[in-house]
């Protein structure tokens, strides 16, 4: 047995060492190795592989309509967390397929009609509807469709989408119709590219 004075001195020495050991990440009570008493650091967040920036191009429209449609597309991209950037390597091409008419409120309805086929069978003409009772005929909804293609920096198409809606034909596509169709394809673009793995879309 150790003398009482030695036992007391040993106990006091252990108590003096305890704060220093605790600061170094050790614990004597109970004896179980390193334990800082702190919560473990959270794991690093998984890096996103979704689309970050896109340039918009509009096909088969005049300059005025193309600028208007591009502005609507930029708004939709921003809402879905994709940055519109004119110099981005990824380019979203939009093309509308729709009936195009030249229609005034008071005059007759004039439109371009055609039957598709090979170059030798294509039949195009001009349709004019003149109301007999002096009142313009009620507009008939027709199919409006937008086709979207996403090209990467080397010109490869890496994503395609489309949306369809029936709407009244007009000379220039109505903003609400264009906005609805663009919103649908952009929402799908954001959803599907965000689900990609491996960072193939940046």
């Amino acid at each position: 047995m150790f003398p009482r004075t030695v036992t007391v001195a040993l106990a006091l020495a252990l108590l003096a060492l305890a704060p220093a050991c605790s600061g170094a990440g050790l614990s004597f009570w109970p004896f179980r190795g390193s334990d800082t008493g702190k919560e473990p650091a959270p794991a690093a967040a998984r890096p996103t592989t979704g689309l970050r920036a896109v340039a918009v191009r509009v096909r088969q429209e005049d300059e005025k309509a193309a600028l208007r449609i591009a502005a609507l597309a930029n708004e939709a991209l921003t809402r879905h967390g994709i940055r519109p950037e004119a110099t981005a390597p990824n380019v979203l091409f939009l093309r509308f397929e729709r009936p195009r008419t030249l229609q005034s409120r008071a005059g007759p309805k004039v439109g371009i009609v055609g039957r598709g086929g090979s170059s030798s069978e294509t039949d195009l003409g001009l349709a004019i509807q003149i109301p007999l009772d002096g009142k313009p005929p009620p507009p008939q909804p027709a199919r409006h469709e937008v086709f979207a293609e996403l090209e990467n920096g080397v010109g490869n198409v890496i994503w395609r989408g489309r949306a369809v809606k029936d709407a009244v034909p007009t000379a220039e596509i109505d903003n609400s119709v264009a906005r609805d169709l663009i919103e649908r394809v952009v929402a799908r673009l954001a959803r599907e590219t965000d689900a990609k793995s491996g960072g193939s879309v940046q």
Side-chain angles (χ1 to χ4, degrees), residues 107-132:
K109 181 177 180 181
V110 181
I112 299 174
V113 296
R115 177 173 57 86
S118 66
S119 58
S120 61
E121 296 178 352
T122 301
D123 181 18
L124 296 177
L126 187 67
I128 303 177
Q129 295 181 6
I130 302 176
L132 299 179

Side-chain angles (χ1 to χ4, degrees), residues 35-86:
D35 184 5
T36 62
K38 298 180 181 179
E39 292 293 329
R46 180 178 63 85
T48 59
T49 59
L51 203 60
R52 296 187 178 93
V54 167
V56 176
R57 304 286 186 271
V58 181
R59 290 170 167 161
Q60 297 182 358
E61 300 288 344
D62 60 36
E63 183 178 1
K64 179 181 177 182
L67 290 174
R68 182 168 55 91
I69 292 170
L72 296 175
N74 289 339
E75 292 175 3
L77 290 168
T78 302
R79 282 194 299 272
H80 290 277
I82 303 173
R83 185 175 68 256
E85 187 176 296

